[in-house]
Amino acid sequence: MKTLLPVSGCVRTVGLFLCFSQTVLAMVITNSTGLESILDNYRDKDEEWWRVRSRGKRAISEGDMHLILDLHNKLRGQVHPPASNMEYMIWDYELERSAEHWAHTCRWEHGPSHMLTQIGQNLGAHYGRDRPPTYHVQAWYDEVRYYSYPYSQECNPHCPFRCSGPVCTHYTQLVWATSNRIGCAINVCYNMNVWGMIWAKAVYLVCNYSPPGNWWGHAPYKYGAPCSACPASYGGGCRDNLCYKGVDRRTAPELEESNYIEPDPEPVSEDPEPRAQSPDPPSTYSQETNPVVSTEQMSQQVECETKLRDHCKGTTCNRYECPPGCLHRSGKVVGTGFYDMQSSVCGAALHSGVIDNDGGWLDVTRLGRKQQFTKSYKNGIQSLGKNRSANSFKVEKVPVKAVRCDTSVALFCPFKKPVRHCPRLYCPRNCLQERGTRVIGTKYYSDKSSICRAAIHAGVIQSDSGGYLDVMPVDKRQQYNGSAQNGITSESLLNPTGGKAFRVFTVI
């Protein structure tokens, strides 16, 4: 039986972010041919088998893999109305490889054609400011506003050339109950043709799903109490509203990374796998215990014309957010590469290519006095020259890194002079349940503490969702005061003999 499925796409911000979902022609496979027979060759392979494979480049970093997979499972577990048969999704390396092959073609269409009968596929692309891959995944899920369970009656875009109208097939593929395997790849494509527009440097995300979803005329899942209609193969297992059978989401051995957002280099570790997570923390660690929420941000919002000299007085010159639309009201910019303190923060960031006219985040580093500043025209901004000594600064992109529950500042981003920037970090969910990791202090934490558990303790993130945070390493404190907050009891420490400290901040 063959079923023709809808072709669909969406434009979030014209020329900046696009997504596309399609299973052009889906076929019911009643035997073991096709993709399923290929996948069967790998499903029972243990970790040792992966370790002895020849080393090569991964299609996606381990950090980004976990970001994508965790968000998929989180979103699948929270659908409304609730799903009775939603299956826990795991990573598939052959799907990753097929996604890598297609991402490297840099073609803004679905493919390869011979596989479209056997996989589901979501595409996303953007250019300009850096975005984590979860940006696209969340955008796919947000199409739920156009969807009415059980059928996509309001979701019928006009296609295929440049799709317009409400789109929801990314959402339905993402929450298709029986699509329990995923593999994705990211590639940077130069001069990519996206519906007739040439994007000079596009970041292209391809996610392949198996078994495929989006069967026309069928609901993506069954409505009912979570896990009440799971397939028998799950043996009654349930985790976070998903049918679960204790699968171990193993990663391939450490390989040379090729993704545009690199994962943090973990210190010497014998076990590259994520640690096993219990479905529920012990009652003595209830998150309701002394709940604390922090909304304090390290990063500062500035206007297009804000001069660094004016904004840095009495504050830490660190991380800033520029609004969109600064290209034609950027203020004065003096210098190239390094800039006079009288320059506009956002103007310098535009001139150096750290942000585009969409705005975005940037890091500022003070460089001390420079004897001369060179003028130049770059990225639509004309900077001025100056032959007089003055204090200077440089601007850089804000990298995003994924860390583990037990990662500490001492190993990841220790305090040093001159002060350097830590990347923006992403913590996985359920770090509250991580045992054997210390949290020392309150508000100011010893750098031997777990970053993610300190962030939960401070109320910057929640354990059940994880999330993004900013870290500011600081010099050591004379003492650290313990407290019980958000289900974590931190330690006190008087007169520490060594080590530094850090603070954690909310990302909004």
Side-chain angles (χ1 to χ4, degrees), residues 45-57:
K45 301 299 183 184
D46 58 19
E47 183 72 10
E48 184 60 27
W49 185 88
W50 286 104
R51 288 185 187 279
V52 299
R53 295 185 71 202
S54 59
R55 295 175 62 87
K57 288 189 176 182

Side-chain angles (χ1 to χ4, degrees), residues 388-458:
R388 191 166 64 251
S389 173
N391 287 321
S392 64
F393 68 96
K394 68 177 180 178
V395 290
E396 298 171 293
K397 289 182 179 292
V398 176
V400 179
K401 303 284 187 180
V403 295
R404 296 183 3 171
C405 293
D406 60 353
T407 302
S408 68
V409 169
L411 294 174
F412 181 78
C413 186
F415 175 81
K416 295 180 180 179
K417 290 185 178 181
V419 176
R420 64 184 181 129
H421 301 285
C422 283
R424 175 157 291 167
L425 304 182
Y426 178 86
C427 287
R429 61 180 184 167
N430 292 335
C431 285
L432 182 67
Q433 298 154 207
E434 186 82 3
R435 298 293 175 255
T437 55
R438 305 176 69 184
V439 177
I440 305 169
T442 300
K443 188 173 181 179
Y444 287 88
Y445 298 92
S446 164
D447 64 358
K448 296 180 177 61
S449 304
S450 154
I451 298 172
C452 296
R453 284 174 58 81
I456 295 171
H457 181 267

Side-chain angles (χ1 to χ4, degrees), residues 1-298:
M1 179 182 71
K2 294 183 179 180
T3 306
L4 189 64
L5 301 182
V7 181
S8 59
C10 66
V11 180
R12 293 285 170 187
T13 305
V14 175
L16 294 174
F17 166 72
L18 296 164
C19 50
F20 204 36
S21 177
Q22 177 189 52
T23 306
V24 176
L25 185 64
M27 179 182 297
V28 176
I29 308 292
T30 58
N31 54 37
S32 60
T33 61
L35 182 66
E36 288 302 310
S37 63
I38 297 174
L39 299 182
D40 285 341
N41 295 327
Y42 303 96
R43 286 176 177 162
D44 298 328
K45 301 299 183 184
D46 58 19
E47 183 72 10
E48 184 60 27
W49 185 88
W50 286 104
R51 288 185 187 279
V52 299
R53 295 185 71 202
S54 59
R55 295 175 62 87
K57 288 189 176 182
R58 284 288 306 279
I60 192 169
S61 75
E62 182 180 340
D64 284 348
M65 179 196 79
H66 287 296
L67 295 181
I68 291 172
L69 191 55
D70 283 345
L71 186 55
H72 269 76
N73 280 319
K74 175 186 174 183
L75 297 174
R76 286 165 68 85
Q78 68 180 34
V79 292
H80 182 80
S84 63
N85 68 329
M86 188 70 72
E87 299 181 35
Y88 184 87
M89 188 171 277
I90 63 174
W91 196 263
D92 188 286
Y93 298 105
E94 290 308 306
L95 289 175
E96 175 188 322
R97 290 300 178 197
S98 65
E100 178 188 29
H101 169 76
W102 192 248
H104 279 269
T105 68
C106 292
R107 293 165 60 183
W108 183 242
E109 60 186 75
H110 286 274
S113 59
H114 70 275
M115 290 192 68
L116 292 178
T117 60
Q118 302 162 54
I119 62 170
Q121 190 175 75
N122 278 353
L123 306 179
H126 71 267
Y127 72 77
R129 57 193 290 191
D130 283 344
R131 297 179 173 92
T134 47
Y135 177 88
H136 294 282
V137 177
Q138 186 64 54
W140 296 338
Y141 183 84
D142 288 345
E143 292 173 2
V144 65
R145 64 180 179 271
Y146 301 125
Y147 180 78
S148 296
Y149 186 89
Y151 307 119
S152 54
Q153 297 168 345
E154 295 84 10
C155 176
N156 186 24
H158 175 70
C159 290
F161 299 107
R162 185 188 294 267
C163 298
S164 60
V167 177
C168 63
T169 48
H170 305 89
Y171 166 76
T172 51
Q173 175 59 80
L174 194 155
V175 301
W176 202 269
T178 57
S179 293
N180 56 21
R181 292 177 179 269
I182 183 175
C184 304
I186 297 174
N187 186 40
V188 177
C189 295
Y190 296 90
N191 298 320
M192 183 176 176
N193 188 327
V194 181
W195 283 332
M197 298 175 287
I198 304 300
W199 289 9
K201 185 180 179 182
V203 179
Y204 190 21
L205 171 66
V206 177
C207 283
N208 288 344
Y209 301 82
S210 179
N214 285 344
W215 290 96
W216 187 255
H218 292 263
Y221 58 84
K222 297 178 182 178
Y223 163 68
C227 300
S228 62
C230 292
S233 60
Y234 285 90
C238 185
R239 174 177 174 175
D240 298 330
N241 298 331
L242 303 174
C243 304
Y244 182 76
K245 55 183 175 183
V247 291
D248 188 2
R249 183 184 56 183
R250 293 183 180 271
T251 61
E254 294 180 4
L255 303 172
E256 182 182 351
E257 303 294 349
S258 61
N259 189 23
Y260 75 110
I261 296 179
E262 304 240 343
D264 61 287
E266 285 292 334
V268 177
S269 173
E270 298 300 324
D271 182 7
E273 306 167 17
R275 302 197 178 202
Q277 299 171 343
S278 304
D280 299 296
S283 58
T284 55
Y285 283 83
S286 169
Q287 294 187 61
E288 300 304 318
T289 304
N290 190 21
V292 172
V293 176
S294 173
T295 58
E296 187 177 4
Q297 298 185 72
M298 181 184 78

